[in-house]
């Protein structure tokens, strides 16, 4: 009887998807993702504080709304764009509207963003069928 070797983990996120290790089209790493999230949340907080007395529900709704709007229009949130990232569908083609909506709602729940695979795709990206790549 021959032993079946255990699958070897990929050397870098996106390797099994045929993506480069670094540079354009490589998977965006955790540091960039957290930075983009901080930028996006900061914008939502600033708008909420300026116009809505920093209401927590309004802050969350602004965050989700900005995520959806900018991801539909430019394939990236403001933070993603500033840090050189973009959201693309795994199957190719256009993002459409439903992917950014589902993705943003799951980001707002927080937990799905903390559960990610070997390609650094969070559960929110897996459900939406997207991946966050560098520009």
């Amino acid at each position: 009887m021959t032993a079946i070797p255990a699958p070897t983990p990929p050397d870098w996120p996106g390797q099994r998807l045929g993506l480069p290790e670094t540079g354009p089209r490589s998977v965006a790493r955790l540091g960039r993702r957290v930075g983009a999230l901080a930028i996006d949340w900061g914008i939502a907080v600033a708008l909420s504080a300026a116009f809505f007395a920093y209401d927590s529900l309004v802050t969350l709704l602004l965050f989700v709304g900005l995520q959806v709007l900018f991801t539909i229009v430019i394939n990236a949130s403001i933070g993603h764009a500033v840090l050189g990232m973009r959201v693309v569908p795994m199957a190719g083609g256009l993002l459409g509207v439903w992917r950014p909506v589902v993705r943003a709602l799951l980001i707002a729940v927080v937990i799905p963003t903390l559960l990610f695979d070997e390609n650094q795709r969070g559960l929110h990206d897996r459900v939406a069928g997207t991946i966050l790549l560098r520009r």
Side-chain angles (χ1 to χ4, degrees):
M1 184 158 89
T2 307
I4 299 173
T8 58
D11 292 332
W12 66 84
Q15 181 181 19
R16 290 188 180 153
L17 301 173
L19 299 172
E21 183 174 4
T22 59
R25 293 194 63 243
S26 65
V27 174
R29 301 303 200 276
L30 186 61
R32 284 180 188 265
R33 291 169 182 264
V34 171
L37 183 64
I39 291 169
D40 294 336
W41 187 255
I43 291 169
V45 165
L47 290 172
S48 177
F51 300 108
F52 302 101
Y54 192 44
D55 181 280
S56 59
L57 181 59
V58 172
T59 304
L60 184 60
L61 291 174
L62 283 168
F63 175 80
V64 169
L66 290 169
Q67 287 284 317
V68 170
L69 175 68
F70 281 93
T71 303
I72 289 170
V73 174
I74 64 171
N75 287 16
S77 69
I78 296 169
H80 293 152
V82 167
L83 296 179
M85 297 178 285
R86 63 191 169 110
V87 179
V88 298
M90 288 295 294
L94 301 174
L95 274 177
V97 174
W98 76 269
R99 292 179 199 279
V101 170
V102 168
R103 191 174 186 280
L105 290 173
L106 289 173
I107 290 171
V109 176
V110 177
I111 300 299
T113 61
L114 301 175
L115 304 172
F116 51 90
D117 62 14
E118 70 276 355
N119 293 311
Q120 292 191 357
R121 291 178 62 217
L123 185 57
H124 62 293
D125 277 322
R126 292 181 63 109
V127 170
T130 58
I131 189 166
L132 189 60
L133 302 178
R134 292 183 59 189
R135 288 191 185 269

